[in-house]
Amino acid sequence: MTARQQPKNLWIGRWGFVLAATGSAVGLGNIWKFPYMTGEYGGGAFVLVYLACILCIGIPAMMTEIAFGRRGRGSPIDAVKRVAQESGRGKIWSGFGWMSMLAGFMILSFYVVVAGWSLAYLWKALSGGLQGGSVDDMAAIFGANNANPLSLGAWSTLVTVVTMCIVGKGVQEGIERNMRWMMPGMVLLLLVMIVYAMFSGGFGEAVTFLFSFEVGKLSSAGLLAAMGHAFFTLSLSAGAIMAYGAYLPDNKSIARTTFTVAICDTLIALMAGLAIFPAIFANGMDPASGPGLIFMSLPLAFQQMPMGSVLQVIFFVMLSVAALTSAVSMIEATVAWLTERKGMSRKAAAWSSGIVLWLLSTLAMLSFNLGADWTLAGKNFFDWLDYLTSRWMMPLGGLGLCLMAGFLLRDEIFRDELRLARWQHALWLLMVRYVSPLGIVLIFIDALGVMSIDIGSQWPWFLAALVVITVLGEMLSPRVKQQFTG
Ligand code: PHE
């Protein structure tokens, strides 16, 4: 084994990594996207495939990312490069590190806009600006909120500044320290909302909606969306988890921490559903109202409930905190890279990346007002950032890292890092070599639109393809024997 890099920063607390990684994973994806996707793709059926995707694709990919980070002990670019070099491979492979870092940066530039909505809504909730009798009134409030570039820009700038302050303070003093109160605080607020929902009607319907599984409702679009969302919600292929993994002490188990983070993330997404849908059902609204669910339907629903105005404040505080803990993780890779490679201080690195980020996010913000018709192929700048990152860069990064770990790099590295029992290691390999890649290829086929995928009727073919590819792959792979004979 070659000498490992000496870590400069490590999480100090017992729960340091878990808190930070869960903070990264739990965000707008859980509280904004997951509920509306569940609403759109038919409730329980979507929840079930989503859980399967987390288990088969998300968890193995997260273990892989943390292993890369801890082995390489550096920003994703350097971590991937070092691990590749340790296996006698060229620098070129660090391209996947570059792509992850870039994806994190690009996601953050539109994420701060949505996080800005959340702060703006918190302010409106506090100052009584969320009044209206119908969904149309709420849509008008949402429209007015976006129409003014100055106020919209001010809110996203505020998010950027707070993020950079936290990151600039350093891994332990900034990130770890703040996560210690932000995460428990967020969960507490979510629990308050659920307890309220239990006693205020609509709870039973929400539970049925989320957990009753009807095979007929399972759509291919839902399955593909669930796969893509598994990456997004676990913060994979965006530099975040790998950058945090670089600070994971050697004695911690990667498998155990990964499961903890993935379980917390999933539980919080489901809890968000249990906090939001009861209000929607109690007021006879449509759960499938899309991205406007929490900004239009939910405020309207709250208005009609006792203590709704208090609840609304609680909800938007929680949402803002969740967004912030994720935002911090998206820029960590860039800041780590600037400090390690360009010799900058944490503060200088945070503020200089903050400025570039601010420029990019301003363009994203303008997509809602002045720049609404700056479109290319029907998508504005905001939509492009979202589309490129979640449909292409994250899956491509995931595919690259999984295949590298599965086929290209020395297996001892991963045995060393993951420290799994033999059968568990074989299972992990099966996932990163075949199951995740096939899933990701389906996402690409769908994004390219070259073939219409109907998993409902074609699933036996997909299963057969998976088996054939696995058997062929294992027969051709020189490592097979060594795998099972030790
Ligand atoms: N996982 C975060 C969420 O669910 C988003 C995120 C993506 C965070 C990529 C970091 C990196 O909102």
Side-chain angles (χ1 to χ4, degrees):
M1 197 179 97
T2 37
R4 300 201 15 184
Q5 295 292 326
Q6 281 313 303
K8 264 200 303 246
N9 280 316
L10 285 183
W11 303 110
I12 15 184
R14 184 173 144 86
W15 297 104
F17 176 81
V18 169
L19 277 178
T22 308
S24 169
V26 174
L28 297 166
N30 302 59
I31 299 167
W32 170 56
K33 258 187 159 175
F34 177 75
Y36 86 71
M37 286 171 96
T38 307
E40 279 184 348
Y41 293 115
F46 176 77
V47 173
L48 199 76
V49 289
Y50 168 78
L51 294 180
C53 291
I54 294 283
L55 197 66
C56 300
I57 303 182
I59 289 180
M62 188 185 262
M63 286 167 62
T64 312
E65 260 199 48
I66 303 176
F68 267 103
R70 182 162 80 180
R71 187 64 162 203
R73 291 279 185 222
S75 71
I77 298 177
D78 288 311
V80 179
K81 187 172 81 190
R82 286 177 192 143
V83 178
Q85 284 175 336
E86 195 184 340
S87 298
R89 305 286 168 172
K91 274 204 269 196
I92 178 98
W93 295 99
S94 67
F96 287 110
W98 273 102
M99 197 165 65
S100 305
M101 187 176 99
L102 204 66
F105 200 85
M106 286 166 66
I107 295 169
L108 186 54
S109 62
F110 70 87
Y111 206 82
V112 294
V113 178
V114 184
W117 290 348
S118 167
L119 282 184
Y121 266 64
L122 173 60
W123 174 247
K124 286 189 214 303
L126 283 169
S127 60
L130 283 181
Q131 310 290 343
S134 66
V135 175
D136 286 344
D137 291 341
M138 287 297 143
I141 294 179
F142 191 61
N145 180 59
N146 289 342
N148 181 348
L150 285 181
S151 65
L152 194 59
W155 289 114
S156 51
T157 305
L158 183 61
V159 178
T160 310
V161 169
V162 176
T163 306
M164 295 311 158
C165 285
I166 296 178
V167 179
K169 282 225 171 98
V171 176
Q172 294 106 353
E173 281 303 298
I175 303 179
E176 186 168 353
R177 189 185 235 178
N178 282 293
M179 295 302 152
R180 273 195 213 141
W181 65 269
M182 287 170 116
M183 292 310 290
M186 200 208 84
V187 173
L188 192 72
L189 296 180
L190 193 54
L191 285 174
V192 171
M193 292 196 64
I194 294 179
V195 171
Y196 175 88
M198 280 177 168
F199 296 103
S200 61
F203 195 73
E205 269 172 279
V207 172
T208 315
F209 179 70
L210 283 169
F211 301 109
S212 73
F213 169 63
E214 287 168 49
V215 190
K217 280 196 182 163
L218 201 75
S219 71
S220 309
L223 178 59
L224 292 166
M227 269 194 249
H229 191 59
F231 276 93
F232 187 82
T233 191
L234 293 180
S235 308
L236 298 175
S237 317
I241 293 297
M242 203 188 292
Y244 281 0
Y247 314 134
L248 184 68
D250 281 332
N251 59 4
K252 290 271 194 273
S253 150
I254 292 183
R256 205 169 300 147
T257 42
T258 298
F259 272 90
T260 312
V261 174
I263 289 172
C264 291
D265 182 73
T266 307
L267 282 181
I268 292 180
L270 294 173
M271 281 162 67
L274 287 179
I276 292 170
F277 285 120
I280 301 292
F281 286 121
N283 290 284
M285 292 174 178
D286 182 9
S289 52
L293 183 70
I294 63 170
F295 292 106
M296 294 184 234
S297 315
L298 195 64
L300 185 63
F302 278 148
Q303 266 180 55
Q304 283 143 23
M305 307 174 88
M307 301 226 313
S309 50
V310 179
L311 232 58
Q312 200 148 56
V313 172
I314 294 183
F315 180 76
F316 286 112
V317 172
M318 178 194 75
L319 186 65
S320 307
V321 173
L324 212 62
T325 56
S326 298
V328 163
S329 73
M330 290 179 210
I331 198 75
E332 175 57 29
T334 309
V335 170
W337 181 71
L338 288 174
T339 50
E340 285 161 18
R341 296 298 289 274
K342 305 286 161 198
M344 286 189 187
S345 69
R346 282 287 297 195
K347 281 214 168 54
W351 291 110
S352 46
S353 42
I355 291 171
V356 181
L357 179 78
W358 183 81
L359 292 171
L360 213 60
S361 70
T362 300
L363 287 178
M365 179 275 292
L366 289 177
S367 300
F368 292 94
N369 35 66
L370 301 179
D373 6 286
W374 305 343
T375 55
L376 189 69
K379 285 189 176 57
N380 61 29
F381 193 68
F382 183 99
D383 296 337
W384 270 108
L385 286 171
D386 181 18
Y387 173 77
L388 281 178
T389 50
S390 58
R391 281 299 189 130
W392 292 100
M393 296 170 78
M394 293 179 110
L396 202 61
L399 184 66
L401 292 178
C402 283
L403 292 179
M404 268 175 90
F407 291 108
L408 190 78
L409 304 178
R410 283 173 46 207
D411 198 41
E412 299 86 275
I413 296 179
F414 293 92
R415 285 182 188 277
D416 243 26
E417 291 298 329
L418 300 176
R419 295 177 218 132
L420 299 169
R422 185 169 296 173
W423 68 270
Q424 293 167 332
H425 194 82
L427 195 63
W428 168 79
L429 265 178
L430 191 73
M431 296 294 164
V432 296
R433 285 181 170 179
Y434 309 105
V435 180
S436 303
L438 194 74
I440 295 170
V441 167
L442 288 183
I443 301 183
F444 288 141
I445 294 181
D446 179 64
L448 282 171
V450 284
M451 193 177 118
S452 77
I453 300 174
D454 178 14
I455 295 174
S457 64
Q458 296 166 338
W459 68 266
W461 291 108
F462 289 114
L463 203 63
L466 180 64
V467 172
V468 171
I469 294 172
T470 306
V471 171
L472 276 180
E474 291 303 294
M475 274 165 40
L476 297 176
S477 158
R479 284 214 206 124
V480 182
K481 263 209 216 97
Q482 168 199 336
Q483 216 53 256
F484 289 95
T485 54

